[in-house]
Amino acid sequence: MNKIKNALLYAQSFYRPQLTAVQLLGIWSVAIVLFYNGPFWQRSLGFLAPSTYSQWISIGAFGLAIAALQLLIFIPFTGARTMRPVLIILTLVTASVRYFSVEMGTYFDVHMMTNLLETDAHESGQLINSGLILSLTLWGVLPATLIWRCKIVHSQNKLQSRWSAAIIALLIFIAALLSSFQSFSPLLRNHKELRYLITPGNVLVALPRALAGQAEKLTIKRSPIGTDAQQRPTLAGEKPLLLVVVIGETQRAANWQLNGYERETTPNLAARDDLISFRDVSSCGTSTAVSLPCMFSRYTRKTYQPSSARGEQTLVDVINTAGVGVEWIDNQSGCKGVCSEVESDRIAKTRFPQLCADGECLDEVLVHDLKEELAEETHRGNQLLVLHMMGSHGPSYYRRYPAENVRFMPDCRQDELSQCSQQEVVNAYDNTIAYSDRVLNALIETLSRHRAHHTALIYLSDHGESLGEMGLYLHGLPYFIAPEEQTKVPMFWWLSSGYLAAQKLDSECLDNAAMYPTSHDALLHSVLGLLNIETELYEPELDPAAECRSITD
């Protein structure tokens, strides 16, 4: 019996290692650097291409510097009651970051953290899959369990032990940083994106900034802009103008037939001879959280700062100031604050049950909603309607189109893209564009039959999407390293003959203007011009139609 008892006691001690808090933190720091920062090391080794012992020593020294820095940062939490909970939370967070960095090529900067904070529960649920659960179990839950099983033993002088550990960590950090400076200083200076792969530091830096931005949205009072905005006088008896701006979601220019893509993804639009298609359009950002506020702000991509834009009104407010009716209709997760001061309507799932399932609606609801809007007596005079599509929002592309709209097969029917071949992913994505083509054509047909207004439509996607090229999926990369798949977006204009005549626009001139590069910067100025609004905000050089309008007054 004594032998069995001793064996049990031995087993218990084996499964519950005894460590001081500083020892546990040191082991955790080294493990995080070695096993959870694979994407950072992979990218860094690709750039450095080490071939000598000194280069490998420099790489090892930089890893040691990161581990020492982590120990320095978290050493205040080395209390018996705080150490384990803090490390468990950090481990679970780091495991999550590792999964998305490895599987999707995600970089966690402040914009990505903002995206995560603004993603609703339904969209978040589509990111949860078997691969994520398995990864979190192996890299998060199991290590967290081991951390919890550790028995924190107290040193004789805890304060002295902490100070000693901090001094040693500081000395190691300085020595290791100096040893690796020659290799990693130019690397991180020339490839700033690498810092967004060092975890958990990337989250710890970006999350407070993202949270501060969200808090600011709740408390900030927007300053008015374009207070001088007014409509130009029109001839008596002239029909009012109705401009519909359709914001697409996650559609990239490369996969649009209208832009030269070899597949028939936009057959309805391509068959029309009354569209002005802009083939070289750059987005303001690589995520909705950046692009949407940016394109409706008075800033260009180069001058846009989220903190500045949050404190000002937007394009829709300027239009409203000019006396034009404005309404934002959303089939997405919201307008990101753009429409906070104008009439807005997020389409309820109960309005069109035949088009809404699994907590979201197909974009055809926008066609039905537009018909209802046009029938309302209140929509008289010049009007701006903004329709926000679900478009090609991933990774669940197959949820964005009905079964009868499948053109390209086999399509990926999984929320976890790694379970599908790249061609299946592309097929599903192309099906989303084909469905958007159907919806957009229906919107145009609806407007063309409307007689109370001269009608026009602008379509513009917020950002593009990566579909496995270079191992990247989805979107949200820092703009300076983002591939064109994420930054080049489709845009077209449709203007009825009456709208062209009322605006004195030359359609041939517009076709020529569409051949030149443009960007999200043009939206504010295009809308102001097309709605006959005068304001100091208007910059004709950013309006593709400016030189195509004949002025006779």
Side-chain angles (χ1 to χ4, degrees):
M1 289 294 294
N2 288 333
K3 290 184 177 180
I4 296 175
K5 185 178 179 179
N6 290 336
L8 290 174
L9 290 173
Y10 176 77
Q12 184 179 2
S13 66
F14 179 79
Y15 286 107
R16 193 171 188 188
Q18 299 184 12
L19 298 168
T20 66
V22 172
Q23 289 172 337
L24 177 59
L25 177 58
I27 294 170
W28 177 87
S29 297
V30 172
I32 290 295
V33 171
L34 290 178
F35 303 117
Y36 289 77
N37 279 275
F40 169 76
W41 293 118
Q42 183 180 17
R43 294 273 296 178
S44 297
L45 291 175
F47 289 126
L48 293 172
S51 58
T52 64
Y53 287 119
S54 61
Q55 288 175 318
W56 282 107
I57 290 173
S58 178
I59 292 169
F62 189 74
L64 188 59
I66 297 175
L69 180 60
Q70 289 179 159
L71 196 147
L72 275 171
I73 292 172
F74 298 118
I75 208 165
F77 301 98
T78 51
R81 295 183 179 181
T82 56
M83 187 75 276
R84 288 183 298 178
V86 167
L87 292 187
I88 286 172
I89 292 171
L90 288 171
T91 300
L92 294 173
V93 169
T94 305
S96 302
V97 171
R98 178 195 173 278
Y99 171 80
F100 288 104
S101 295
V102 170
E103 297 297 329
M104 304 292 185
T106 305
Y107 289 72
F108 285 83
D109 61 355
V110 64
H111 298 309
M112 180 55 66
M113 297 308 300
T114 301
N115 291 337
L116 293 175
L117 293 174
E118 294 184 354
T119 299
D120 60 31
H122 183 73
E123 290 179 358
S124 300
Q126 293 178 2
L127 294 172
I128 300 174
N129 52 60
S130 58
L132 174 60
I133 293 172
L134 178 61
S135 181
L136 285 180
T137 301
L138 294 176
W139 295 95
V141 176
L142 291 180
T145 303
L146 185 59
I147 291 170
W148 186 254
R149 288 288 300 165
C150 283
K151 183 178 181 181
I152 304 296
V153 296
H154 301 287
S155 56
Q156 292 182 348
N157 190 326
K158 290 189 290 184
L159 184 61
Q160 183 178 356
S161 176
R162 287 185 190 181
W163 275 106
S164 299
I167 292 171
I168 293 172
L170 179 60
L171 293 174
I172 292 174
F173 172 72
I174 294 173
L177 192 64
L178 291 174
S179 299
S180 59
F181 186 82
Q182 186 173 357
S183 296
F184 278 87
S185 177
L187 176 67
L188 295 176
R189 186 169 59 250
N190 296 327
H191 300 280
K192 296 179 181 179
E193 72 277 9
L194 290 176
R195 72 186 71 174
Y196 305 130
L197 291 175
I198 302 175
T199 188
N202 48 5
V203 174
L204 296 177
V205 171
L207 183 57
R209 294 175 60 193
L211 288 171
Q214 296 300 302
E216 189 178 19
K217 284 183 180 180
L218 299 175
T219 58
I220 197 168
K221 184 177 181 181
R222 292 179 181 268
S223 301
I225 62 171
T227 54
D228 62 328
Q230 59 182 351
Q231 301 176 61
R232 296 189 187 94
T234 56
L235 297 175
E238 183 72 65
K239 284 183 181 181
L241 305 175
L242 169 61
L243 175 61
V244 176
V245 174
V246 183
I247 304 300
E249 169 66 33
T250 318
Q251 299 216 345
R252 68 187 201 183
N255 288 52
W256 266 54
Q257 176 191 356
L258 204 61
N259 284 355
Y261 187 46
E262 64 275 8
R263 280 180 151 183
E264 294 185 353
T265 53
T266 57
N268 292 298
L269 297 176
R272 304 189 69 96
D273 60 3
D274 54 358
L275 298 185
I276 301 147
S277 179
F278 296 78
R279 295 195 173 195
D280 189 358
V281 182
S282 299
S283 66
C284 187
T286 61
S287 66
T288 307
V290 175
S291 284
L292 198 59
C294 179
M295 71 170 80
F296 280 88
S297 76
R298 66 184 177 95
Y299 299 101
T300 65
R301 186 186 72 78
K302 291 183 178 179
T303 61
Y304 176 77
Q305 292 293 332
S307 57
S308 300
R310 279 194 292 268
E312 294 185 350
Q313 291 183 332
T314 67
L315 169 62
V316 293
D317 300 306
V318 176
I319 302 299
N320 197 36
T321 297
V324 174
V326 179
E327 185 172 1
W328 185 291
I329 302 168
D330 210 288
N331 190 38
Q332 250 277 3
S333 59
C335 67
K336 311 303 181 188
V338 172
C339 63
S340 61
E341 298 184 11
V342 299
E343 183 180 354
S344 60
D345 176 22
R346 188 171 180 182
I347 293 179
K349 312 300 181 286
T350 54
R351 285 180 60 192
F352 308 101
Q354 72 279 15
L355 293 172
C356 302
D358 300 325
E360 62 188 35
C361 296
L362 295 171
D363 278 330
E364 276 179 278
V365 296
L366 294 171
V367 180
H368 295 283
D369 192 275
L370 177 62
K371 291 177 180 178
E372 294 180 4
E373 294 287 340
L374 297 181
E376 292 182 8
E377 291 295 326
T378 55
H379 288 302
R380 297 294 177 259
N382 290 350
Q383 299 288 320
L384 171 67
L385 295 179
V386 182
L387 309 181
H388 192 191
M389 299 179 75
M390 180 63 78
S392 301
H393 188 68
S396 306
Y397 304 124
Y398 70 98
R399 299 178 187 269
R400 311 295 173 237
Y401 51 88
E404 65 268 20
N405 213 81
V406 176
R407 295 177 61 88
F408 308 103
M409 297 183 67
D411 56 338
C412 181
R413 311 292 296 181
Q414 303 288 332
D415 294 334
E416 185 179 356
L417 298 181
S418 62
Q419 298 297 313
C420 302
S421 68
Q422 186 177 5
Q423 188 57 55
E424 289 172 333
V425 173
V426 172
N427 288 344
Y429 182 80
D430 284 350
N431 284 330
T432 67
I433 297 178
Y435 179 61
S436 292
D437 167 74
R438 170 175 147 183
V439 171
L440 290 166
N441 191 63
L443 290 172
I444 293 171
E445 289 299 311
T446 300
L447 291 173
S448 67
R449 293 190 293 267
H450 183 63
R451 294 291 176 259
H453 294 79
H454 295 311
T455 54
L457 181 146
I458 293 176
Y459 172 81
L460 176 60
S461 182
D462 58 354
H463 55 79
E465 186 86 323
S466 288
L467 301 174
E469 301 89 0
M470 299 182 291
L472 300 174
Y473 287 91
L474 304 182
H475 54 268
L477 260 67
Y479 201 94
F480 59 90
I481 62 162
E484 287 194 349
E485 287 83 4
Q486 294 190 29
T487 62
K488 293 294 184 179
V489 294
M491 180 174 80
F492 72 80
W493 292 8
W494 172 83
L495 300 95
S496 65
S497 57
Y499 207 106
L500 285 167
Q503 286 281 287
K504 302 181 178 63
L505 285 168
D506 184 334
S507 59
E508 185 176 343
C509 175
L510 288 173
D511 286 330
N512 291 332
M515 297 173 61
Y516 294 93
T518 186
S519 68
H520 280 173
D521 299 350
L523 181 65
L524 180 141
H525 310 281
S526 300
V527 171
L528 290 174
L530 289 175
L531 285 173
N532 272 339
I533 293 176
E534 294 179 327
T535 172
E536 291 181 353
L537 293 177
Y538 177 71
E539 298 180 34
E541 61 272 19
L542 291 177
D543 178 6
E547 296 185 4
C548 301
R549 187 178 288 110
S550 60
I551 305 297
T552 58
D553 43 289

